[in-house]
Amino acid sequence: MRTMLLVNPTATTTNRRTRDVLIRALGAAVDLTVEETRYRGHAAVLASGARSRGFDAVAVLGGDGTINEAVNGLLTPRDDTPPADASPGGPAGTAAGSTPEPGDTTTGPEDGAEGRPELIVIPGGGANVFARALGLPNNPVEATSVVLEALQEGRRRTVGLGQARWGEENRYFTFCAGLGYDAEVIRAIEGLRGAGFKATPARYVSTAVRHYFATDRRHPALTLEGPGVPVAQGMFMAIISNTSPWTYLGDRPVRPTPWASFDTGLDLLGLRRMGLPSMMRLLPQVLSDGEGPITARHLVQLHDEAEFTLTANRPVAFQLDGDYLGECEKVEFRSVPNALQIVA
């Protein structure tokens, strides 16, 4: 089984010694080629190249951001994929750093998981939401052991993905997207990480609390619409989920859309009020272990939807899989069923 392993050398929870041990263990089970990511978007280029070169699987040792890039490379391969040693800065680097566009595909997501390499996930980031949603341990060594068992026993599962289109951009996501307040928090966290601070659960909480009092809680910007979807106006933020949990605070799952699943369409939770009393009623529910629907007032909720659109009357912050992507005024969301086969 020819496998390309994409390693993020700056992943939060691994070091060189741990990575070497995991590489040796995986290399004993498959015909392994190892590539290290060196810049933002590099994992997408490498994964696209693995598909065009006929690899059977792409393994990712990294966090949710690296996994998202690899998934996008697998689903939207390029005919002009630059070689793995291309560096940013020149013409090849410029192409390598961009997410492949729909027009570059040789086969589309509708062709199903059979037309592309399998994905192997080994968590190496902080939250590792996608890996944990697949049932993998949060520890990379333990997760590698589970993956090796799955390879030996031939265990696979096929999962659906979400797709977002905004402006000229198109990108797939594995577990969540967000417009508004949650994306603003991620933007602030990325700024702190750029300044050298570690993105710990405590820092996420403190940043979210601090930013809550700075965000606009008086002028909602978002409107929801779509085929068969009742129009909903006046939302401050919207969470779009491809699975549940939405994220984790340490070991505690956060479930604003508890019925979301890789086997169904997309779910949505929109907030029409962000006053402190409303938030205090909502938070205990999303942090609970229950699987019932959220019942707080002034919410907009969708479950198992194939497509819908969110528009804003002003630019609002936007994130996919915990990656801040800037501000936008319109995003079209679509469910892509049976998109990837996972070794799990």
Side-chain angles (χ1 to χ4, degrees):
M1 182 178 182
R2 292 182 63 223
T3 302
M4 179 181 286
L5 173 63
L6 311 183
V7 179
N8 182 355
T10 63
T12 305
T13 58
T14 63
N15 54 39
R16 173 60 66 180
R17 178 177 296 180
T18 302
R19 291 193 293 271
D20 288 345
V21 170
L22 301 184
I23 289 169
R24 286 196 297 269
L26 195 59
V30 298
D31 179 7
L32 194 66
T33 298
V34 181
E35 300 282 358
E36 287 194 351
T37 61
R38 297 193 297 276
Y39 51 87
R40 185 165 182 164
H42 196 192
V45 175
L46 293 171
S48 180
R51 176 173 174 171
S52 65
R53 291 161 60 187
F55 278 82
D56 301 303
V58 169
V60 183
L61 173 56
D64 289 312
T66 307
I67 293 169
N68 178 280
E69 289 184 10
V71 166
N72 277 272
L74 288 174
L75 266 72
T76 50
R78 298 176 64 101
D79 294 330
D80 60 342
T81 302
D85 59 354
S87 59
T94 302
S98 61
T99 300
E101 294 296 323
D104 299 319
T105 58
T106 55
T107 57
E110 292 80 2
D111 296 307
E114 295 79 8
R116 56 185 66 93
E118 299 174 342
L119 180 67
I120 299 172
V121 176
I122 302 174
N128 301 311
V129 179
F130 182 56
R132 293 159 85 175
L134 292 170
L136 288 168
N138 198 34
N139 181 284
V141 176
E142 295 176 5
T144 301
S145 177
V146 172
V147 165
L148 292 174
E149 290 178 4
L151 286 168
Q152 185 176 12
E153 298 172 8
R155 295 201 309 268
R156 306 291 190 273
R157 68 173 296 187
T158 303
V159 302
L161 297 172
Q163 182 184 33
R165 295 178 183 269
W166 69 104
E168 300 297 321
E169 302 293 328
N170 166 54
R171 190 157 165 177
Y172 299 90
F173 58 98
T174 62
F175 62 94
C176 84
L179 285 159
Y181 169 63
D182 77 312
E184 294 172 6
V185 173
I186 289 173
R187 177 175 60 194
I189 288 290
E190 290 191 2
L192 291 171
R193 292 181 66 179
F197 294 95
K198 190 175 180 180
T200 63
R203 181 156 284 120
Y204 266 101
V205 171
S206 63
T207 302
V209 171
R210 183 172 62 253
H211 202 76
Y212 170 79
F213 293 101
T215 193
D216 187 342
R217 291 176 283 126
R218 293 181 178 273
H219 306 98
L222 297 172
T223 296
L224 168 72
E225 55 189 346
V229 175
V231 175
Q233 298 177 323
M235 292 185 294
F236 288 94
M237 65 173 287
I239 293 168
I240 301 91
S241 298
N242 187 50
T243 190
S244 184
W246 168 56
T247 190
Y248 288 85
L249 289 177
D251 293 330
R252 178 176 288 274
V254 183
R255 297 187 177 96
T257 53
W259 290 347
S261 167
F262 291 127
D263 301 319
T264 62
L266 298 176
D267 285 23
L268 175 142
L269 178 74
L271 272 63
R272 280 177 160 150
R273 287 192 178 181
M274 285 192 62
L276 194 57
S278 298
M279 297 299 287
M280 294 304 293
R281 286 191 295 268
L282 177 65
L283 286 174
Q285 294 188 72
V286 301
L287 293 172
S288 74
D289 294 329
E291 297 183 356
I294 305 300
T295 58
R297 298 172 60 189
H298 311 295
L299 299 180
V300 177
Q301 300 183 77
L302 297 178
H303 171 61
D304 192 15
E305 291 292 338
E307 59 181 298
F308 51 82
T309 299
L310 286 165
T311 57
N313 57 25
R314 63 175 183 272
V316 295
F318 176 47
Q319 65 89 8
L320 285 181
D321 283 351
D323 185 14
Y324 177 67
L325 297 178
E327 295 185 335
C328 59
E329 296 179 56
K330 180 179 180 180
V331 186
E332 300 173 353
F333 293 96
R334 184 168 72 100
S335 173
V336 184
N338 304 318
L340 276 180
Q341 192 168 60
I342 312 289
V343 176

